[in-house]
Amino acid sequence: MKYGCIAAVAFALATPPAFAQSVPEAAAPATTQPATPVDPARLAVARRVAERLLPPGIYKKLMSTSMDAVMGNLGGAMKAMPLRQIAQIGGMSAEEAQKLDKVDLSQVMAIYDPHWEERQKLTMHAMFDAMGDFFTTMEPELREGMATAYANRFSLAELNDLDHFFATPTGSKYAATVTTIMTDPAVMNTMKDLMPKMMQQMPHFLEAAKKATAVLPPPRKMKDLSPAEKTRLAKALGMDESKLQDPKGTS
């Protein structure tokens, strides 16, 4: 049931801000080394700041909170999906898609796969738990990366200001909350409500991508490759050259 898959993927794309807020930014310093050595005095204070912002176990908590919010909103979000527009994005004609206006996607999935909701919950719980375990092992490195980033971006005086602020009751509460604030029900419910609007704009997003790549030649097909290129491709894929074929869905 490809429309159910499209809907689930679309919903997943609408919920990641909690991750975008925390995981990528914390991990970024690992791939971007400072051009000059970090001032030891600034780094020492920055490490205290990072410890406040990324306390031990924060990612396990983040994954658990995100999981509960995502699964709690999934059913309602799917019912709110503009299925006609999703179907058109998936290749159905406007006339055919028009018939889907009153379709309840959750009912469709209940028939197609009676265990769909349970399957999604088990899958998501397993994935989020595994991700939480992984990031827990990475926390020391992430904190060090964050400390380096803060030491590079803030002066010693500014870092001391942050350190002093985070030592206050208000600062301590803020530091402990800032990473997980995007998983608050108020934020997650807003993201759920944005789903229909985002799907309405999907044709615009796709058109923008189409225009951006219009200057490029279309992807080549097997018939466009030279014998030498086919040989190289087969070798790269580790398969017999006679079994090479264009990806499904290309024309």
Side-chain angles (χ1 to χ4, degrees):
M1 186 65 68
K2 67 177 180 179
Y3 303 119
C5 294
I6 294 173
V9 171
F11 180 75
L13 290 175
T15 56
F19 295 97
Q21 173 90 356
S22 55
V23 176
E25 288 193 5
T31 59
T32 306
Q33 297 298 326
T36 56
V38 181
D39 176 17
R42 288 162 66 178
L43 184 58
V45 182
R47 282 175 175 151
R48 294 200 297 271
V49 170
E51 182 76 20
R52 295 275 192 175
L53 292 172
L54 287 180
I58 187 64
Y59 284 112
K60 192 72 173 177
K61 179 180 179 181
L62 177 64
M63 296 298 172
S64 176
T65 307
S66 298
M67 176 68 250
D68 293 339
V70 168
M71 294 313 302
N73 288 337
L74 183 56
M78 288 188 67
K79 289 183 179 180
M81 288 278 188
L83 191 57
R84 175 178 46 154
Q85 292 173 339
I86 297 174
Q88 285 183 268
I89 293 170
M92 187 178 283
S93 69
E95 292 75 18
E96 293 174 319
Q98 185 74 36
K99 302 175 183 178
L100 298 176
D101 271 344
K102 297 182 180 180
V103 172
D104 185 331
L105 190 56
S106 62
Q107 291 183 6
V108 173
M109 293 307 299
I111 297 170
Y112 177 72
D113 180 3
H115 299 285
W116 180 84
E117 187 172 354
E118 182 183 6
R119 195 185 313 282
Q120 299 307 308
K121 287 181 178 179
L122 290 173
T123 299
M124 295 293 283
H125 270 294
M127 290 181 61
F128 276 55
D129 284 346
M131 291 170 66
D133 291 339
F134 168 74
F135 279 109
T136 295
T137 66
M138 295 293 293
E139 280 179 1
E141 294 177 53
L142 292 169
R143 273 190 289 274
E144 186 65 15
M146 176 176 277
T148 302
Y150 270 76
N152 283 327
R153 293 174 182 233
F154 292 87
S155 68
L156 181 57
E158 291 169 335
L159 288 167
N160 279 317
D161 285 343
L162 288 173
D163 189 30
H164 294 153
F165 172 62
F166 290 151
T168 67
T170 299
S172 178
K173 183 177 181 179
Y174 171 79
T177 305
V178 65
T179 302
T180 58
I181 194 70
M182 292 300 290
T183 62
D184 185 276
V187 179
M188 297 300 291
N189 286 334
T190 300
M191 294 306 303
K192 179 193 69 175
D193 294 339
L194 287 176
M195 172 55 64
K197 297 178 182 178
M198 187 188 82
M199 293 308 302
Q200 289 173 359
Q201 292 297 313
M202 191 62 72
H204 170 69
F205 300 155
L206 295 175
E207 183 61 25
K210 183 178 179 180
K211 288 181 179 179
T213 58
V215 296
L216 300 174
R220 295 196 297 171
K221 297 181 172 57
M222 289 299 164
K223 62 183 179 62
D224 302 318
L225 301 183
S226 68
E229 288 174 325
K230 289 181 180 179
T231 299
R232 286 166 47 205
L233 180 59
K235 184 177 181 180
L237 294 172
M239 62 186 299
D240 190 278
E241 188 174 333
S242 64
K243 298 185 181 300
L244 291 174
Q245 59 181 353
D246 292 317
K248 293 182 180 180
T250 60
S251 57

Short mmCIF file of all heavy atoms in Angstrom, two decimals, residues 203-249:
data_model
loop_
_atom_site.label_atom_id
_atom_site.label_comp_id
_atom_site.label_asym_id
_atom_site.label_seq_id
_atom_site.Cartn_x
_atom_site.Cartn_y
_atom_site.Cartn_z
N PRO A 203 3.80 19.58 -3.84
CA PRO A 203 4.02 19.81 -5.28
C PRO A 203 4.95 20.99 -5.54
O PRO A 203 5.78 20.96 -6.46
CB PRO A 203 2.61 20.08 -5.81
CG PRO A 203 1.72 19.35 -4.87
CD PRO A 203 2.36 19.52 -3.51
N HIS A 204 4.84 22.03 -4.71
CA HIS A 204 5.72 23.19 -4.86
C HIS A 204 7.16 22.81 -4.55
O HIS A 204 8.10 23.22 -5.25
CB HIS A 204 5.27 24.31 -3.92
CG HIS A 204 6.24 25.46 -3.82
ND1 HIS A 204 6.48 26.32 -4.87
CD2 HIS A 204 7.04 25.86 -2.81
CE1 HIS A 204 7.38 27.22 -4.50
NE2 HIS A 204 7.74 26.95 -3.26
N PHE A 205 7.36 22.01 -3.50
CA PHE A 205 8.71 21.57 -3.15
C PHE A 205 9.32 20.75 -4.30
O PHE A 205 10.49 20.94 -4.66
CB PHE A 205 8.68 20.70 -1.89
CG PHE A 205 8.12 21.40 -0.67
CD1 PHE A 205 7.56 20.66 0.36
CD2 PHE A 205 8.15 22.78 -0.56
CE1 PHE A 205 7.03 21.28 1.48
CE2 PHE A 205 7.63 23.42 0.56
CZ PHE A 205 7.07 22.67 1.58
N LEU A 206 8.52 19.85 -4.85
CA LEU A 206 9.01 19.00 -5.94
C LEU A 206 9.30 19.82 -7.19
O LEU A 206 10.28 19.55 -7.90
CB LEU A 206 7.99 17.91 -6.25
CG LEU A 206 7.74 16.90 -5.12
CD1 LEU A 206 6.61 15.94 -5.50
CD2 LEU A 206 9.01 16.13 -4.80
N GLU A 207 8.46 20.81 -7.44
CA GLU A 207 8.69 21.66 -8.61
C GLU A 207 9.96 22.48 -8.45
O GLU A 207 10.72 22.68 -9.41
CB GLU A 207 7.49 22.60 -8.80
CG GLU A 207 7.57 23.49 -10.04
CD GLU A 207 7.63 22.70 -11.35
OE1 GLU A 207 7.14 21.55 -11.37
OE2 GLU A 207 8.17 23.24 -12.33
N ALA A 208 10.22 22.95 -7.22
CA ALA A 208 11.45 23.70 -6.96
C ALA A 208 12.67 22.82 -7.21
O ALA A 208 13.67 23.26 -7.79
CB ALA A 208 11.45 24.22 -5.52
N ALA A 209 12.59 21.56 -6.78
CA ALA A 209 13.70 20.63 -7.00
C ALA A 209 13.88 20.35 -8.49
O ALA A 209 15.00 20.25 -8.99
CB ALA A 209 13.44 19.32 -6.25
N LYS A 210 12.76 20.23 -9.20
CA LYS A 210 12.81 19.98 -10.64
C LYS A 210 13.47 21.14 -11.38
O LYS A 210 14.30 20.94 -12.27
CB LYS A 210 11.39 19.76 -11.17
CG LYS A 210 11.32 19.42 -12.64
CD LYS A 210 9.88 19.18 -13.07
CE LYS A 210 9.78 18.86 -14.57
NZ LYS A 210 8.38 18.63 -14.98
N LYS A 211 13.12 22.36 -10.99
CA LYS A 211 13.71 23.53 -11.63
C LYS A 211 15.20 23.63 -11.33
O LYS A 211 16.00 24.03 -12.18
CB LYS A 211 12.99 24.80 -11.17
CG LYS A 211 11.58 24.96 -11.73
CD LYS A 211 10.95 26.26 -11.24
CE LYS A 211 9.56 26.44 -11.82
NZ LYS A 211 8.92 27.70 -11.34
N ALA A 212 15.57 23.29 -10.09
CA ALA A 212 16.97 23.39 -9.69
C ALA A 212 17.86 22.44 -10.48
O ALA A 212 19.03 22.73 -10.72
CB ALA A 212 17.10 23.11 -8.20
N THR A 213 17.31 21.30 -10.89
CA THR A 213 18.11 20.31 -11.62
C THR A 213 17.88 20.37 -13.13
O THR A 213 18.42 19.54 -13.87
CB THR A 213 17.77 18.88 -11.13
OG1 THR A 213 16.36 18.63 -11.31
CG2 THR A 213 18.13 18.72 -9.66
N ALA A 214 17.08 21.35 -13.58
CA ALA A 214 16.75 21.44 -15.01
C ALA A 214 17.98 21.73 -15.87
O ALA A 214 18.01 21.38 -17.05
CB ALA A 214 15.69 22.51 -15.23
N VAL A 215 18.99 22.34 -15.27
CA VAL A 215 20.20 22.69 -16.02
C VAL A 215 21.07 21.46 -16.28
O VAL A 215 21.99 21.51 -17.08
CB VAL A 215 21.02 23.76 -15.28
CG1 VAL A 215 20.23 25.05 -15.18
CG2 VAL A 215 21.42 23.27 -13.89
N LEU A 216 20.79 20.37 -15.58
CA LEU A 216 21.60 19.16 -15.73
C LEU A 216 20.99 18.25 -16.80
O LEU A 216 19.78 18.25 -17.01
CB LEU A 216 21.66 18.40 -14.40
CG LEU A 216 22.27 19.14 -13.21
CD1 LEU A 216 22.12 18.28 -11.95
CD2 LEU A 216 23.72 19.48 -13.47
N PRO A 217 21.83 17.46 -17.47
CA PRO A 217 21.29 16.47 -18.41
C PRO A 217 20.55 15.40 -17.62
O PRO A 217 20.84 15.17 -16.44
CB PRO A 217 22.54 15.91 -19.09
CG PRO A 217 23.64 16.14 -18.12
CD PRO A 217 23.30 17.44 -17.42
N PRO A 218 19.56 14.74 -18.22
CA PRO A 218 18.82 13.69 -17.51
C PRO A 218 19.75 12.53 -17.16
O PRO A 218 20.78 12.31 -17.82
CB PRO A 218 17.75 13.28 -18.51
CG PRO A 218 18.32 13.63 -19.85
CD PRO A 218 19.12 14.88 -19.62
N PRO A 219 19.40 11.78 -16.12
CA PRO A 219 20.22 10.60 -15.76
C PRO A 219 20.31 9.65 -16.95
O PRO A 219 19.35 9.46 -17.69
CB PRO A 219 19.44 9.97 -14.61
CG PRO A 219 18.63 11.09 -14.04
CD PRO A 219 18.26 11.94 -15.20
N ARG A 220 21.48 9.05 -17.10
CA ARG A 220 21.65 8.13 -18.23
C ARG A 220 21.01 6.79 -17.94
O ARG A 220 20.78 6.42 -16.79
CB ARG A 220 23.14 7.95 -18.51
CG ARG A 220 23.80 9.24 -19.00
CD ARG A 220 25.16 8.96 -19.63
NE ARG A 220 26.10 8.38 -18.68
CZ ARG A 220 27.28 7.89 -19.02
NH1 ARG A 220 27.68 7.90 -20.30
NH2 ARG A 220 28.11 7.41 -18.12
N LYS A 221 20.72 6.07 -18.99
CA LYS A 221 20.18 4.72 -18.90
C LYS A 221 21.23 3.75 -19.42
O LYS A 221 22.26 4.16 -19.98
CB LYS A 221 18.88 4.61 -19.67
CG LYS A 221 17.78 5.52 -19.11
CD LYS A 221 16.49 5.36 -19.89
CE LYS A 221 15.35 6.10 -19.20
NZ LYS A 221 15.63 7.52 -19.01
N MET A 222 20.96 2.48 -19.25
CA MET A 222 21.93 1.46 -19.66
C MET A 222 22.30 1.59 -21.14
O MET A 222 23.45 1.40 -21.51
CB MET A 222 21.37 0.06 -19.37
CG MET A 222 21.32 -0.28 -17.90
SD MET A 222 22.97 -0.27 -17.14
CE MET A 222 22.50 -0.23 -15.40
N LYS A 223 21.32 1.94 -21.95
CA LYS A 223 21.58 2.04 -23.39
C LYS A 223 22.53 3.19 -23.72
O LYS A 223 23.11 3.24 -24.81
CB LYS A 223 20.27 2.23 -24.16
CG LYS A 223 19.50 3.49 -23.83
CD LYS A 223 18.19 3.55 -24.59
CE LYS A 223 17.38 4.80 -24.26
NZ LYS A 223 18.08 6.04 -24.64
N ASP A 224 22.68 4.13 -22.77
CA ASP A 224 23.56 5.27 -23.01
C ASP A 224 25.01 5.00 -22.61
O ASP A 224 25.90 5.79 -22.93
CB ASP A 224 23.06 6.50 -22.22
CG ASP A 224 21.64 6.88 -22.59
OD1 ASP A 224 21.33 6.85 -23.80
OD2 ASP A 224 20.85 7.20 -21.68
N LEU A 225 25.23 3.90 -21.88
CA LEU A 225 26.58 3.60 -21.40
C LEU A 225 27.40 2.89 -22.46
O LEU A 225 26.88 2.07 -23.23
CB LEU A 225 26.51 2.73 -20.15
CG LEU A 225 25.74 3.28 -18.94
CD1 LEU A 225 25.84 2.31 -17.77
CD2 LEU A 225 26.24 4.65 -18.54
N SER A 226 28.68 3.20 -22.48
CA SER A 226 29.58 2.50 -23.40
C SER A 226 29.87 1.11 -22.84
O SER A 226 29.66 0.85 -21.65
CB SER A 226 30.89 3.29 -23.53
OG SER A 226 31.62 3.25 -22.32
N PRO A 227 30.36 0.20 -23.67
CA PRO A 227 30.71 -1.14 -23.17
C PRO A 227 31.68 -1.08 -22.00
O PRO A 227 31.56 -1.85 -21.03
CB PRO A 227 31.33 -1.81 -24.39
CG PRO A 227 30.65 -1.15 -25.55
CD PRO A 227 30.49 0.28 -25.14
N ALA A 228 32.66 -0.18 -22.09
CA ALA A 228 33.64 -0.06 -21.00
C ALA A 228 32.98 0.41 -19.72
O ALA A 228 33.32 -0.07 -18.62
CB ALA A 228 34.76 0.90 -21.41
N GLU A 229 32.02 1.34 -19.84
CA GLU A 229 31.33 1.84 -18.66
C GLU A 229 30.46 0.76 -18.03
O GLU A 229 30.35 0.66 -16.81
CB GLU A 229 30.49 3.06 -19.03
CG GLU A 229 31.33 4.31 -19.31
CD GLU A 229 30.49 5.46 -19.82
OE1 GLU A 229 29.50 5.22 -20.56
OE2 GLU A 229 30.83 6.62 -19.52
N LYS A 230 29.83 -0.06 -18.87
CA LYS A 230 29.02 -1.16 -18.34
C LYS A 230 29.89 -2.16 -17.59
O LYS A 230 29.50 -2.68 -16.54
CB LYS A 230 28.27 -1.84 -19.48
CG LYS A 230 27.15 -1.01 -20.08
CD LYS A 230 26.44 -1.78 -21.19
CE LYS A 230 25.31 -0.94 -21.80
NZ LYS A 230 24.62 -1.65 -22.89
N THR A 231 31.06 -2.41 -18.12
CA THR A 231 31.98 -3.33 -17.46
C THR A 231 32.40 -2.78 -16.10
O THR A 231 32.42 -3.50 -15.10
CB THR A 231 33.22 -3.56 -18.34
OG1 THR A 231 32.82 -4.14 -19.59
CG2 THR A 231 34.22 -4.48 -17.65
N ARG A 232 32.73 -1.49 -16.07
CA ARG A 232 33.12 -0.85 -14.81
C ARG A 232 31.97 -0.86 -13.81
O ARG A 232 32.15 -1.09 -12.61
CB ARG A 232 33.58 0.58 -15.07
CG ARG A 232 34.96 0.68 -15.73
CD ARG A 232 35.22 2.07 -16.28
NE ARG A 232 34.88 3.11 -15.30
CZ ARG A 232 34.56 4.36 -15.64
NH1 ARG A 232 34.52 4.71 -16.92
NH2 ARG A 232 34.30 5.24 -14.70
N LEU A 233 30.73 -0.59 -14.30
CA LEU A 233 29.57 -0.55 -13.43
C LEU A 233 29.30 -1.93 -12.82
O LEU A 233 29.03 -2.05 -11.62
CB LEU A 233 28.34 -0.08 -14.21
CG LEU A 233 27.03 0.00 -13.43
CD1 LEU A 233 27.16 0.97 -12.26
CD2 LEU A 233 25.89 0.45 -14.35
N ALA A 234 29.37 -2.96 -13.65
CA ALA A 234 29.14 -4.32 -13.16
C ALA A 234 30.17 -4.69 -12.10
O ALA A 234 29.85 -5.30 -11.08
CB ALA A 234 29.18 -5.30 -14.33
N LYS A 235 31.42 -4.28 -12.33
CA LYS A 235 32.48 -4.58 -11.38
C LYS A 235 32.25 -3.85 -10.06
O LYS A 235 32.44 -4.41 -8.98
CB LYS A 235 33.84 -4.19 -11.97
CG LYS A 235 35.02 -4.54 -11.07
CD LYS A 235 36.34 -4.20 -11.75
CE LYS A 235 37.53 -4.56 -10.86
NZ LYS A 235 38.82 -4.23 -11.51
N ALA A 236 31.80 -2.58 -10.17
CA ALA A 236 31.55 -1.79 -8.96
C ALA A 236 30.40 -2.38 -8.15
O ALA A 236 30.40 -2.32 -6.91
CB ALA A 236 31.25 -0.34 -9.34
N LEU A 237 29.40 -2.95 -8.86
CA LEU A 237 28.25 -3.54 -8.19
C LEU A 237 28.48 -4.98 -7.78
O LEU A 237 27.67 -5.55 -7.03
CB LEU A 237 27.02 -3.46 -9.10
CG LEU A 237 26.49 -2.05 -9.40
CD1 LEU A 237 25.40 -2.11 -10.47
CD2 LEU A 237 25.94 -1.41 -8.13
N GLY A 238 29.56 -5.57 -8.27
CA GLY A 238 29.85 -6.96 -7.95
C GLY A 238 28.84 -7.92 -8.55
O GLY A 238 28.43 -8.89 -7.90
N MET A 239 28.40 -7.65 -9.78
CA MET A 239 27.40 -8.50 -10.40
C MET A 239 27.76 -8.76 -11.85
O MET A 239 28.64 -8.10 -12.42
CB MET A 239 26.02 -7.85 -10.33
CG MET A 239 25.91 -6.51 -11.06
SD MET A 239 24.31 -5.69 -10.81
CE MET A 239 23.18 -6.88 -11.50
N ASP A 240 27.09 -9.73 -12.45
CA ASP A 240 27.33 -10.07 -13.85
C ASP A 240 26.83 -8.94 -14.74
O ASP A 240 25.74 -8.40 -14.53
CB ASP A 240 26.63 -11.38 -14.21
CG ASP A 240 27.04 -11.89 -15.58
OD1 ASP A 240 26.47 -11.40 -16.56
OD2 ASP A 240 27.91 -12.77 -15.64
N GLU A 241 27.61 -8.60 -15.73
CA GLU A 241 27.25 -7.49 -16.63
C GLU A 241 25.92 -7.72 -17.33
O GLU A 241 25.17 -6.78 -17.61
CB GLU A 241 28.37 -7.29 -17.66
CG GLU A 241 28.20 -6.05 -18.51
CD GLU A 241 29.40 -5.80 -19.42
OE1 GLU A 241 30.52 -6.24 -19.05
OE2 GLU A 241 29.22 -5.19 -20.48
N SER A 242 25.59 -8.99 -17.62
CA SER A 242 24.35 -9.29 -18.31
C SER A 242 23.11 -9.01 -17.48
O SER A 242 22.01 -8.93 -18.00
CB SER A 242 24.35 -10.76 -18.75
OG SER A 242 24.36 -11.61 -17.61
N LYS A 243 23.28 -8.85 -16.16
CA LYS A 243 22.14 -8.61 -15.28
C LYS A 243 21.91 -7.15 -15.00
O LYS A 243 20.99 -6.79 -14.25
CB LYS A 243 22.35 -9.37 -13.96
CG LYS A 243 22.42 -10.89 -14.12
CD LYS A 243 22.50 -11.58 -12.78
CE LYS A 243 22.60 -13.08 -12.93
NZ LYS A 243 21.43 -13.66 -13.64
N LEU A 244 22.72 -6.27 -15.57
CA LEU A 244 22.53 -4.85 -15.38
C LEU A 244 21.22 -4.40 -16.00
O LEU A 244 20.86 -4.82 -17.10
CB LEU A 244 23.69 -4.06 -16.02
CG LEU A 244 25.06 -4.17 -15.35
CD1 LEU A 244 26.10 -3.45 -16.18
CD2 LEU A 244 25.03 -3.63 -13.92
N GLN A 245 20.47 -3.55 -15.29
CA GLN A 245 19.24 -3.02 -15.83
C GLN A 245 18.95 -1.67 -15.20
O GLN A 245 19.48 -1.34 -14.13
CB GLN A 245 18.07 -3.97 -15.58
CG GLN A 245 17.82 -4.26 -14.11
CD GLN A 245 16.67 -5.23 -13.90
OE1 GLN A 245 15.96 -5.60 -14.84
NE2 GLN A 245 16.46 -5.67 -12.67
N ASP A 246 18.12 -0.87 -15.86
CA ASP A 246 17.76 0.43 -15.32
C ASP A 246 16.91 0.25 -14.06
O ASP A 246 16.17 -0.72 -13.95
CB ASP A 246 16.95 1.23 -16.35
CG ASP A 246 17.80 1.63 -17.56
OD1 ASP A 246 18.96 2.05 -17.35
OD2 ASP A 246 17.32 1.52 -18.70
N PRO A 247 17.01 1.19 -13.11
CA PRO A 247 16.20 1.11 -11.90
C PRO A 247 14.72 1.10 -12.24
O PRO A 247 14.29 1.71 -13.23
CB PRO A 247 16.57 2.38 -11.14
CG PRO A 247 17.92 2.76 -11.66
CD PRO A 247 17.92 2.35 -13.11
N LYS A 248 13.94 0.40 -11.45
CA LYS A 248 12.49 0.37 -11.67
C LYS A 248 11.91 1.77 -11.50
O LYS A 248 12.35 2.54 -10.65
CB LYS A 248 11.82 -0.59 -10.69
CG LYS A 248 12.17 -2.05 -10.92
CD LYS A 248 11.45 -2.95 -9.95
CE LYS A 248 11.79 -4.41 -10.18
NZ LYS A 248 11.09 -5.31 -9.23
N GLY A 249 10.92 2.08 -12.32
CA GLY A 249 10.28 3.38 -12.24
C GLY A 249 10.84 4.39 -13.20
O GLY A 249 10.29 5.47 -13.37
#
